[in-house]
Amino acid sequence: VKPQVVDQAKEIATNVYKVVEEQKDLYQTLRDFQEMDPNQFTHAFVTTLYASAIIKQFPWQSKVTIETMSLACMFHDIGKTKLPKNFMDARPEDLSEEELALYYQHPELGVKIVEKNKLINNSVKQIIMQHHEWFNGEGFPNKLKGKQVSTLANILCLVDDFVHLMIKTEKKPTEVLRGILGSQELVSRYNSVITENFIKVFVDPTTLQSDSKKIS
């Protein structure tokens, strides 16, 4: 990843964390999450880094948009604290139908946990609610499709998958990105513009022409 991208993303994530610290109830929620499962907390922080980096590639990016996304990333899986502990590291493909029904509730549960805090506006709640909605309409909990899915939520969807794959496969970020680009099943989950902007986080935009053809 470009060094300047990493530095900017770290600064954004750190600043948002400091803002959360000033909100006692929200900060306690985050601390409880960290104590329950440090790996999940780390996952939330890493998704914040990559999601911020993607947004920086869009012409409409702004400080407010990035802060909104960062807050959503920090709390996107907080709903898992209301599920059995073994769901923390679970992936949908590893669960039974009965377990999936519970797992599919965690976006809504997450919104309910944080919605009363003044920092959590409707945009943050929308991202948390939709972070597992896929562009192809096969996500959850509401099977939204195309433009029904918030762009910011779809960015988080991509980053969430990316970070999980990076941890699961223990591969370098660029190798994981190549794997995503080579999987039609995965690529169909995301708006192609988002995928193209994720590539820009890693490479010079002038080299994108051939990659863009692969994912368009």
Side-chain angles (χ1 to χ4, degrees):
V1 182
K2 298 175 184 176
Q4 68 269 30
V5 170
V6 174
D7 291 341
Q8 290 173 354
K10 281 183 178 178
E11 182 181 357
I12 291 162
T14 301
N15 288 343
V16 169
Y17 186 82
K18 288 178 180 178
V19 171
V20 171
E21 280 185 310
E22 296 174 359
Q23 302 289 317
K24 289 184 180 180
D25 59 334
L26 205 58
Y27 182 60
Q28 188 59 52
T29 298
L30 197 59
R31 292 291 298 175
D32 291 344
F33 187 42
Q34 182 178 13
E35 290 174 8
M36 180 176 288
D37 191 329
N39 291 333
Q40 287 292 317
F41 179 80
T42 301
H43 172 82
F45 200 85
V46 176
T47 57
T48 304
L49 295 181
Y50 281 107
S52 300
I54 292 176
I55 292 176
K56 294 286 285 185
Q57 311 307 312
F58 281 92
W60 45 256
Q61 60 101 0
S62 69
K63 182 174 181 289
V64 172
T65 304
I66 292 172
E67 288 176 351
T68 296
M69 173 61 96
S70 298
L71 271 174
C73 288
M74 285 284 186
F75 293 97
H76 73 278
D77 273 340
I78 204 74
K80 289 183 179 180
T81 60
K82 298 297 184 182
L83 300 178
K85 194 170 182 179
N86 65 298
F87 280 69
M88 278 293 181
D89 293 318
R91 299 300 293 160
E93 58 269 22
D94 302 323
L95 301 175
S96 67
E97 287 189 19
E98 184 177 337
E99 289 172 328
L100 273 175
L102 281 175
Y103 181 81
Y104 286 167
Q105 295 176 26
H106 82 263
E108 184 176 0
L109 291 172
V111 171
K112 288 180 178 179
I113 290 171
V114 299
E115 65 181 348
K116 293 182 180 179
N117 186 277
K118 64 181 182 181
L119 285 179
I120 308 299
N121 58 32
N122 288 335
S123 295
V124 175
K125 286 186 278 188
Q126 182 184 48
I127 298 168
I128 294 174
M129 180 66 80
Q130 295 184 5
H131 77 274
H132 280 297
E133 299 287 359
W134 299 348
F135 203 70
N136 63 13
E138 297 179 8
F140 67 87
N142 297 310
K143 293 191 177 297
L144 303 180
K145 186 175 183 178
K147 293 184 179 180
Q148 291 179 316
V149 184
S150 155
T151 298
L152 295 181
N154 202 223
I155 289 173
L156 179 50
C157 178
L158 168 56
V159 171
D160 190 39
D161 287 344
F162 172 82
V163 175
H164 275 297
L165 284 170
M166 194 164 53
I167 293 170
K168 181 179 180 179
T169 63
E170 298 183 349
K171 291 181 178 179
K172 294 179 181 179
T174 49
E175 293 175 344
V176 175
L177 178 59
R178 288 193 198 100
I180 290 175
L181 295 175
S183 169
Q184 187 56 43
E185 178 186 355
L186 288 175
V187 168
S188 68
R189 297 180 181 183
Y190 327 116
N191 185 324
S192 62
V193 177
I194 293 172
T195 314
E196 290 170 13
N197 277 322
F198 196 25
I199 296 171
K200 291 180 186 178
V201 173
F202 294 88
V203 300
D204 190 290
T206 58
T207 68
L208 280 178
Q209 188 173 3
S210 60
D211 291 316
S212 297
K213 290 179 181 177
K214 294 177 185 177
I215 61 179
S216 59

